[in-house]
């Protein structure tokens, strides 16, 4: 997977009464949850995101429907389908992301490690590229506290 991204799988409790998936900060996901938001009713053809974060860590869970996520850095990229409410896509710092192909019934739930901070966003791709080329240079940031891969 692209560096600073990874899959997280949750336990699902199901019986004849339905399904239940618990998600606990610092236990099921590798950070304390400071903020939750969700995205839904996204029109056909809409693409969102187009930014990276300097510090923020997030877990993206498509709890209904499906959505695709492009994650990339200057060295590698991947298109990921989210369509399973028992799995989260972890996205750490310095990863460019775009969300697209939302199904009309998609609900994308996001758990975030920090409060909303407009100063943490990098929305200019050329600025992002410059910073990320350095950040990911020769795997220097491999294995640091933010790197989570393949839970
Ligand atoms: C991310 C992807 C996956 C707030 O006021 N508070 C919030 O916590 C958030 C997330 C957004 N907003 C406001 C700011 C904008 O006026 O909501 C509006 C839409 O936000 P934005 O254009 O940043 O949405 P996306 O879908 O491009 O990105 C969001 C998150 O912002 C971002 O952190 O990683 O989802």
């Amino acid at each position: 997977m692209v560096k600073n991204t990874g899959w997280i799988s949750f336990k699902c409790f199901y019986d004849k009464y339905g399904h239940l998936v618990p998600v606990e900060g610092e236990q099921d996901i590798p950070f304390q949850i400071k903020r939750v938001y969700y995205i839904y009713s996204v029109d056909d053809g809409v693409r969102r995101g187009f930014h990276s974060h300097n510090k923020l860590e997030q877990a993206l869970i498509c709890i209904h429907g499906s959505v695709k996520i492009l994650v990339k850095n200057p060295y590698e990229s991947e298109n990921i389908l989210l369509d399973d409410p028992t799995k989260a896509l972890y996205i750490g710092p310095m990863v460019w992301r775009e969300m697209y192909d939302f199904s009309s019934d998609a609900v994308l739930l996001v758990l975030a490690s920090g409060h909303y901070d407009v100063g943490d966003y990098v929305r200019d791709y050329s600025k992002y590229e410059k910073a990320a080329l350095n950040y990911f240079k020769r795997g220097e940031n491999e294995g640091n506290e933010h790197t989570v891969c393949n839970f």
Side-chain angles (χ1 to χ4, degrees), residues 11-30:
K11 239 184 253 158
C12 178
F13 296 91
Y14 62 93
D15 54 26
K16 62 182 177 183
Y17 302 106
H19 293 66
L20 188 153
V21 178
V23 181
E24 299 206 29
E26 298 176 291
Q27 292 182 23
D28 302 299
I29 57 165

Side-chain angles (χ1 to χ4, degrees), residues 48-68:
R48 308 177 59 112
F50 298 98
H51 61 262
S52 157
H53 284 281
N54 287 324
K55 293 199 175 131
L56 190 71
E57 296 177 86
Q58 300 192 105
L60 280 62
I61 310 164
C62 190
I63 57 171
H64 197 257
S66 65
V67 59
K68 289 180 187 147

